[in-house]
Amino acid sequence: MFAEAFDAVCAGLDEHLNGSVAAVVRGEGLPDWVGAGLVDETVWAQAGLFAVEVALFRLLESWGIAPQVVAGHSIGELAAAYVAGVWSLEDACAVVAARGRLMQELPSGGAMVAVEATEEQVAEAIQDRALVGIAAVNGPRAVVISGAEAEVEAVAEELAQAGARTRRLRVSHAFHSPLMEPMLERFAEVVSAVGYQTPQLAMVSALTGQPVTSEVTDPAYWVSHVREAVRFADAVSALRESGVRTFVEIGPDGVLSGMGPQIRTTSEAGDAGEPGNGEVWLPVLRRGRDEVRALFTAVAKVHVRGLAVDWEQIFTRTGARRVDLPTYAFQRQRYWLNAVSASRVEHLGLESSGHPLLGAAVELPATGGLVLTGQLSLSAQPWLADHVVAGRVVVPGAALLEMAVRAGDEAECGRIEELLIETPLTLPERGGVRVQVTVEGPDEAGRREFGVYAQAEDASGGEWTRHATGVVAPADMGVDEVVVGDGELAVWPPVGAVEVDLADFYGGLGRRGLVYGPVFRGTQAAWRRG
């Protein structure tokens, strides 16, 4: 069903574009560097997103997963409008193709910057700048500004000096800004020439942040949609008010599923996105993850929410068949061998380290050094999955420090003098990595150098990567005394420091690629000064 719907949408788009959407998305018949460049161009990116989103919707629809309400972010709202019945496929393709093509034809340049500030703060900063606008309001303190590069950078600098974090986005044009105005008249001609129907599904607008019906049958709505801000935060609040608690994100990644749970009004604070409130965000696809696994994970979670899923249709033509379950209660008995025990380790000539990350230790008689070994994986240490950097599970620095501490204790060196992390230690989704902590023999003062190494579990005989080095020393070696007297740290928080609002603290980190799960959410308060 996905392929059938995708090909149908691409065929409709191709009639209005000079090329093949499917070929650009798949990189067919193009050198890798050409294909990668084309898919990032506005005209092809918007067409590709529309095709993929519609095809995913039709696939889920064929499996009995039918939404009660739809919404979308920017180009995603056009896909939502089409599946809700606002346009025919022919008209929807005409609108999408014209939107992307006319944007592509605008002069390149402009800039977009994500700002961690309130909408009110940003509106005040841009009020006297005609070529800058608010492009998106993605949360209480998540705003995107867009427009002429010099003015956008000036506003971003002003907000940064006021304490706001800023991040420039990689874009070809300044979308949802005054720089879009030269295309609006020509786009109005296109949207005025197509037919409209009142949505057959409930629809929430990210232009108004409210439920809409006949509003989306007015061509002027879609012209404003190009120029005005995406009010995603308001749309999410409206969806919650309408009773939505299961959000299924249909697109090539889970960006909105990361932002959505962080959007909370004052009345929703402490409820939305928190455990136990009954809300869940389910991305159908995730960047860098197996597509089939991501899709079926989302479908399974829809099913366990008690929502309808047509499993007969899902398994059609797969060879799967129903089997009878026993008529008695399962009588479970384990036969799997348990993890290697301490006695087993000792039988191998090693010593048990008694540590959850480093299972065994061995002394090197020739040098007086030590080697501690262990194995890390998401199955053995599932809590590590709560520490994600740029889409990869990264073993936190605190874990490397903990291993160094344990190695030092084994060597009767109770103090870490130095720890240098050289290379992040990442974990694969499946399998794990072998870890070794080596401790050299002592120097004349009793200090010992150590290193933390890792090797992929399936790379027997392969190279080891050194991830950290450092020095441990006996605990009784002299330590410089630190005295806090009448200086600026004599009181806490320091005089003049302002407490930071942590409502969107972890959400902001997540948007910058630092995704912390519940295990790593320990920050209770923070202050800023200067």
Side-chain angles (χ1 to χ4, degrees):
M1 176 55 71
F2 176 90
E4 180 181 333
F6 180 78
D7 289 344
V9 175
C10 289
L13 292 166
D14 290 350
E15 292 182 9
H16 305 278
L17 299 172
N18 184 24
S20 167
V21 176
V24 172
V25 171
R26 296 169 177 151
E28 294 174 346
L30 298 168
D32 291 342
W33 64 274
V34 173
L38 281 179
V39 80
D40 288 334
E41 290 184 2
T42 299
V43 60
W44 300 112
Q46 293 195 19
L49 285 170
F50 181 77
V52 169
E53 290 168 1
V54 170
L56 285 171
F57 180 91
R58 295 304 184 207
L59 176 63
L60 295 181
E61 184 181 51
S62 73
W63 291 350
I65 302 175
Q68 279 70 54
V69 58
V70 294
H73 192 293
S74 195
I75 187 67
E77 187 166 341
L78 277 73
Y82 164 63
V83 299
V86 173
W87 296 301
S88 66
L89 178 57
E90 180 182 357
D91 286 340
C93 289
V95 172
V96 171
R99 188 180 191 270
R101 185 182 67 251
L102 293 173
M103 286 184 180
Q104 184 78 37
E105 291 173 356
L106 291 172
S108 60
M112 299 182 74
V113 174
V115 180
E116 190 175 309
T118 66
E119 182 180 4
E120 292 73 19
Q121 290 174 307
V122 175
E124 182 178 353
I126 68 172
Q127 62 181 351
D128 296 324
R129 299 183 183 274
L131 296 181
V132 181
I134 293 178
V137 182
N138 292 324
R141 295 183 59 81
V143 179
V144 177
I145 57 175
S146 178
E149 183 174 17
E151 293 199 11
V152 167
E153 289 184 343
V155 172
E157 178 62 26
E158 177 184 331
L159 291 168
Q161 290 180 357
R165 290 188 176 93
T166 64
R167 176 172 59 90
R168 181 157 177 170
L169 306 181
R170 293 179 59 186
V171 294
S172 60
H173 293 78
F175 303 112
H176 298 282
S177 81
L179 300 192
M180 293 289 105
E181 291 178 2
M183 65 160 282
L184 298 184
E185 183 176 349
R186 293 171 62 192
F187 186 61
E189 296 175 0
V190 176
V191 293
S192 297
V194 299
Y196 294 87
Q197 296 291 331
T198 302
Q200 301 303 300
L201 290 173
M203 184 174 172
V204 168
S205 164
L207 174 63
T208 66
Q210 298 294 327
V212 287
T213 52
S214 60
E215 297 95 324
V216 294
T217 65
D218 182 353
Y221 175 93
W222 297 104
V223 176
S224 297
H225 188 268
V226 170
R227 167 64 180 83
E228 303 302 327
V230 178
R231 305 197 64 82
F232 179 67
D234 290 342
V236 171
S237 294
L239 288 166
R240 287 194 182 115
E241 290 173 6
S242 70
V244 175
R245 292 296 180 269
T246 302
F247 295 81
V248 180
E249 180 177 356
I250 297 178
D253 201 0
V255 176
L256 302 184
S257 295
M259 295 193 299
Q262 309 302 324
I263 297 171
R264 283 171 273 192
T265 63
T266 301
S267 62
E268 294 167 339
D271 176 41
E274 295 297 326
N277 77 330
E279 179 176 307
V280 65
W281 289 72
L282 306 175
V284 173
L285 295 179
R286 296 294 302 275
R287 181 193 302 267
R289 299 192 184 181
D290 181 79
E291 293 180 351
V292 175
R293 185 179 182 86
L295 171 63
F296 278 101
T297 296
V299 171
K301 290 182 178 179
V302 168
H303 172 69
V304 299
R305 301 277 291 176
L307 303 176
V309 176
D310 187 348
W311 293 105
E312 293 281 359
Q313 183 63 35
I314 289 175
F315 288 111
T316 297
R317 296 188 298 276
T318 65
R321 61 184 179 85
R322 288 186 179 274
V323 296
D324 292 331
L325 292 177
T327 56
Y328 53 85
F330 286 105
Q331 299 171 344
R332 297 189 59 195
Q333 184 172 353
R334 287 180 55 85
Y335 292 96
W336 295 107
L337 296 176
N338 292 323
V340 176
S341 65
S343 62
R344 175 77 176 276
V345 169
E346 292 166 354
H347 291 164
L348 295 175
L350 306 173
E351 293 183 7
S352 172
S353 71
H355 192 271
L357 301 179
L358 300 170
V362 61
E363 186 174 356
L364 304 177
T367 63
L370 296 167
V371 176
L372 290 87
T373 67
Q375 192 168 34
L376 302 179
S377 69
L378 296 183
S379 59
Q381 295 92 11
W383 51 273
L384 288 172
D386 281 357
H387 190 264
V388 178
V389 179
R392 298 289 302 276
V393 174
V394 176
V395 176
L400 300 181
L401 175 60
E402 171 62 27
M403 288 189 278
V405 169
R406 182 68 193 92
D409 290 345
E410 194 76 22
E412 298 184 352
C413 291
R415 185 158 62 90
I416 305 292
E417 281 199 349
E418 178 183 301
L419 173 65
L420 174 63
I421 299 177
E422 299 179 333
T423 303
L425 174 51
T426 61
L427 296 183
E429 283 192 30
R430 298 179 182 177
V433 296
R434 303 182 185 92
V435 176
Q436 288 192 1
V437 181
T438 63
V439 184
E440 303 296 330
D443 63 13
E444 293 179 358
R447 292 181 175 87
R448 294 170 176 251
E449 295 183 358
F450 70 86
V452 180
Y453 297 81
Q455 178 193 59
E457 187 178 59
D458 57 359
S460 179
E463 293 186 2
W464 288 78
T465 299
R466 189 173 72 183
H467 294 276
T469 61
V471 177
V472 293
D476 57 0
M477 290 188 67
V479 180
D480 294 336
E481 185 177 8
V482 178
V483 178
V484 178
D486 297 329
E488 62 180 12
L489 297 182
V491 295
W492 189 265
V495 176
V498 178
E499 187 167 4
V500 176
D501 181 7
L502 296 184
D504 192 39
F505 178 69
Y506 287 104
L509 291 177
R511 289 188 291 276
R512 287 188 290 276
L514 303 175
V515 180
Y516 292 96
V519 172
F520 286 88
R521 295 194 174 196
T523 303
Q524 300 297 313
W527 289 265
R528 182 195 304 277
R529 188 178 71 178

